[in-house]
Amino acid sequence: IKAIIQAVVSTQSTGAGTEASGTGNMKFMLNGALTIGTLDGANVEMREEMGEDNIFIFGMKVEDVAQLWQNGYDTRRYIERLPELKLALAQIKSGYFNPGEPHKFSGFADGLVDNDRFCVIADYEAYLACQEQVSELYMDWIKWTRKCLYNIASAGKFSSDRTINQYADEIWDIKKVHVDLNPPKE
């Protein structure tokens, strides 16, 4: 019996400019998952390769994030305007989702409210609007599959072979060596 684990969507919701969106989402891309995320880190490179029509980008740009912090980002102003977000955070904090250990995730909720360094709360409304686009596209399997194929076809730049060769040439300044290996034993 083989288990095939699959993701159809990869969510990358880090504040633009924080470079916290790493290369894990490139692996999802290689396997055909579509990405919904902020314009941060690997998402920027992925969008350049696949085209902006094949990735779902939401939220603030780097300049917007800088302005948000400069103006004194206060998550509570956003939470007070968004009753469903306020309710979700209250439910997390109260143990609604984990009655056996009601305070297990209260630190998560408090941390998000008190130290939202990735601007998740500020980008929340934009995320919801973008997620609606994802959900709508998911209902059209032909268009969905086309975008998945664009993702797969555009992922070659992110292969470890290319990256290692580039690093060997540009960073490590080493020469390639050909090695003959015996085939693996079956």
Side-chain angles (χ1 to χ4, degrees):
I1 298 175
K2 290 185 178 181
I4 299 174
I5 313 263
Q6 176 182 339
V8 293
V9 177
S10 169
T11 303
Q12 306 292 323
S13 56
T14 57
T18 59
E19 293 296 320
S21 171
T23 58
N25 49 339
M26 291 175 177
K27 293 171 186 74
F28 285 110
M29 175 191 182
L30 178 63
N31 287 292
L34 301 184
T35 298
I36 177 173
T38 55
L39 201 52
D40 180 54
N43 294 344
V44 175
E45 294 177 73
M46 290 166 52
R47 186 178 80 159
E48 289 170 0
E49 293 302 309
M50 72 176 73
E52 63 185 43
D53 292 341
N54 298 303
I55 187 169
F56 296 93
I57 298 294
F58 69 89
M60 297 178 286
K61 309 249 182 311
V62 173
E63 311 80 50
D64 302 324
V65 172
Q67 188 69 48
L68 179 73
W69 287 107
Q70 187 177 5
N71 293 341
Y73 177 36
D74 180 4
T75 58
R76 288 164 182 82
R77 287 192 309 216
Y78 290 85
I79 295 166
E80 288 303 317
R81 276 191 312 102
L82 302 165
E84 73 280 358
L85 179 58
K86 185 176 183 177
L87 175 62
L89 288 168
Q91 288 176 323
I92 292 168
K93 189 172 169 105
S94 72
Y96 178 84
F97 299 105
N98 193 26
E101 296 177 78
H103 301 292
K104 184 170 188 166
F105 300 111
S106 62
F108 167 78
D110 289 339
L112 193 55
V113 172
D114 296 332
N115 185 25
D116 182 18
R117 70 186 200 109
F118 295 116
C119 305
V120 173
I121 290 175
D123 276 339
Y124 178 75
E125 286 178 289
Y127 167 76
L128 289 180
C130 194
Q131 185 60 55
E132 284 298 320
Q133 294 173 16
V134 172
S135 297
E136 185 178 314
L137 180 68
Y138 189 75
M139 302 308 290
D140 185 336
W141 274 98
I142 292 173
K143 289 181 182 176
W144 182 272
T145 301
R146 184 177 295 123
K147 288 186 185 293
C148 292
L149 292 173
Y150 275 111
N151 271 258
I152 294 166
S154 303
K157 176 182 179 181
F158 307 117
S159 77
S160 57
D161 289 344
R162 187 215 46 95
T163 305
I164 290 168
N165 282 327
Q166 182 182 352
Y167 277 40
D169 291 341
E170 297 176 11
I171 297 171
W172 301 325
D173 192 29
I174 59 175
K175 305 282 185 243
K176 294 181 203 175
V177 175
H178 179 76
V179 176
D180 289 322
L181 298 175
N182 293 327
K185 295 180 181 176
E186 302 249 349

